[in-house]
Amino acid sequence: QFAPRTESKVFRAPSTSISSYNSPSLQNAIVRHCQPDAALRCVTIVSPRRLCALGDSGTILISEDQGETWKPAECQAYANLRAVGFIDKNSGIAVGGSVGSYSGISRGVLLQTSDGGSTWRTIANDLPNLHGIAVLNSQLIAWGDFDPRRNTSVYRSTDLGATWQGLDTGLGAVTHATIMNDQFFFATNDRNQAVVLDLIQNKKRTFQLPDSSGPLQLHFTGRQWLCLGSAGQLYSSPDAENWTPVSLPLSASARSLCQWSVLHQQGDTIWVGGFPGSTIARSGDRGLTWQLIKTDSGVPHHSFAFQDKLRGWACGPFGRILQTQDGGLTWKRQHGASRAGMLAFQHQLAWPALVASVWEHRLPTVALLDEQSDGATPNAASIQLDYANRIGIHTRSLQAKQTLPHWLVQIA
């Protein structure tokens, strides 16, 4: 009765009494039912035919036929998952976490699988909320929120996640990181500073990125450096010191709306995406020239995974998973919501029913309101609008004297 509401939990009566919150009986009593249309943050290739995708609310999906069908994995974690790394076709580590709404405490979540992702178990840890993980030979490198005890936000484990040590980057809180060639660790922070660590020869190089309106991420194509971020920022450099904007067939206003947050390279081909999901930038010569690819995706891309230069996958909100078989020129939906909903009411909106439906069924919703206000003081409608936007209900207020009949329309 007093627990906060979370979606899709099934409670099963334990065989023994529950004595404490952390008791094994309580942990066994809560069985997670995966939400297949939760926002997916990462998709990865486990083996030639096996894929794994994960995201919010502990959602983990597995495909054994290259994405044609997906099924939920067995997992008892409820935190948002951000990334996964597989050591081989059986063993893998997933990371994520949360930040307490009132306490502000950042807590990390580590999950381990030994059967290719079908089942997962929790690994006890003292790490903060984690954003990414990479497998480097026999060690794991994870990054996330800053840990003042370790004085870093990058962590290394040499025993498959049982214990973790801090990895000093000199950047403080890291906003993005990646591993390249099983040797180099790239990291950036919100002050446009970057570092490249040679984890084998223990060398470090730091440099300054271009001025930006938000955090940037760094990538080396094998021929030149790239950095990308919000407001359509995409730069190239031969030496990571002198940066020039990459030319794209976009107007200045259209480019300013783009948020490049995902980059993947397979051989000479590079894909850059993010928001909006309807546009992907693609280069076939390691970033020297670029073309824009239009997709029918109305949601952003959170992750790319390519098996070769032709076959690949992308994931995003509402459980959306797309596949391409021609190097990203065309995409087809393999998983996720295929409909959008719109609710419009003439007078007072039935907020409790609307919120419950959106929360339970994860239905993309637009609410049209004709509540009148003097524009100076907040009324019930304006307060409800504010809360609605926070949980994903897009709202639009009608002008005075406009009327609208009661509509309930589902758009395929």
Side-chain angles (χ1 to χ4, degrees), residues 24-353:
S25 55
L26 179 57
Q27 296 298 322
N28 293 332
I30 302 177
V31 179
R32 179 72 170 89
H33 176 66
C34 176
Q35 275 284 0
D37 54 356
L40 299 177
R41 306 293 175 179
C42 177
V43 59
T44 190
I45 300 170
V46 183
S47 64
R49 294 191 59 81
R50 191 175 183 87
L51 305 174
C52 177
L54 53 78
D56 292 355
S57 303
T59 296
I60 301 179
L61 302 175
I62 295 294
S63 173
E64 297 178 352
D65 51 12
Q66 294 190 332
E68 295 300 327
T69 59
W70 295 82
K71 62 181 180 180
E74 295 182 18
C75 174
Q76 293 185 358
Y78 312 130
N80 294 336
L81 302 175
R82 302 294 298 274
V84 62
F86 276 86
I87 303 167
D88 52 43
K89 65 178 182 179
N90 295 317
S91 303
I93 302 289
V95 300
S98 62
V99 178
S101 301
Y102 298 101
S103 66
I105 298 176
S106 179
R107 301 185 186 277
V109 169
L110 288 172
L111 303 177
Q112 185 179 55
T113 181
S114 57
D115 56 10
S118 296
T119 60
W120 298 80
R121 67 176 184 86
T122 303
I123 303 177
N125 71 92
D126 61 348
L127 297 175
N129 185 23
L130 297 173
H131 304 157
I133 188 170
V135 178
L136 180 63
N137 298 323
S138 60
Q139 52 185 323
L140 301 172
I141 307 293
W143 54 92
D145 291 350
F146 186 81
D147 184 353
R149 296 170 299 175
R150 296 179 173 89
N151 196 35
T152 185
S153 58
V154 182
Y155 316 97
R156 181 188 346 220
S157 174
T158 57
D159 51 13
L160 299 180
T163 60
W164 294 84
Q165 300 79 39
L167 183 62
D168 183 23
T169 63
L171 295 182
V174 168
T175 55
H176 184 269
T178 186
I179 293 282
M180 184 175 180
N181 294 339
D182 291 333
Q183 179 177 356
F184 300 102
F185 178 78
F186 299 172
T188 58
N189 64 12
D190 57 2
R191 299 186 300 277
N192 297 329
Q193 296 173 328
V195 64
V196 177
L197 300 179
D198 187 328
L199 299 176
I200 295 180
Q201 299 184 10
N202 294 322
K203 296 181 179 180
K204 180 170 68 173
R205 177 190 176 189
T206 59
F207 42 85
Q208 190 72 27
L209 298 178
D211 292 336
S212 68
S213 57
L216 297 171
Q217 56 177 287
L218 185 67
H219 179 76
F220 183 64
T221 69
R223 180 175 295 169
Q224 62 178 344
W225 295 85
L226 293 176
C227 70
L228 58 149
S230 59
Q233 293 173 313
L234 181 61
Y235 298 93
S236 65
S237 172
D239 53 10
E241 295 181 358
N242 302 296
W243 297 92
T244 57
V246 171
S247 177
L248 292 175
L250 281 174
S251 66
S253 58
R255 183 164 181 164
S256 66
L257 298 176
C258 295
Q259 298 180 23
W260 307 122
S261 57
V262 186
L263 184 149
H264 184 88
Q265 180 172 351
Q266 188 79 22
D268 292 338
T269 307
I270 303 172
W271 298 267
V272 172
F275 174 86
S278 58
T279 301
I280 294 177
R282 180 181 183 272
S283 172
D285 51 15
R286 295 181 181 261
L288 295 182
T289 60
W290 294 84
Q291 66 178 130
L292 291 184
I293 299 173
K294 299 298 183 181
T295 75
D296 60 355
S297 175
V299 298
H301 302 299
H302 291 161
S303 173
F304 291 143
F306 277 80
Q307 197 167 47
D308 49 45
K309 66 179 182 179
L310 295 179
R311 292 177 296 175
W313 291 265
C315 70
F318 302 112
R320 183 67 59 88
I321 300 176
L322 303 177
Q323 184 202 41
T324 180
Q325 295 184 356
D326 54 12
L329 297 179
T330 60
W331 297 80
K332 71 171 184 177
R333 183 179 59 85
Q334 287 190 318
H335 185 271
S338 60
R339 58 180 179 158
M342 180 179 72
L343 292 176
F345 289 80
Q346 182 175 3
H347 297 296
Q348 293 185 350
L349 191 60
W351 284 103

Side-chain angles (χ1 to χ4, degrees), residues 5-28:
R5 177 177 176 83
T6 56
E7 68 253 35
S8 299
K9 287 183 181 178
V10 178
F11 294 86
R12 181 178 61 199
S15 57
T16 58
S17 61
I18 298 176
S19 56
S20 67
Y21 179 80
N22 293 321
S23 66
S25 55
L26 179 57
Q27 296 298 322
N28 293 332

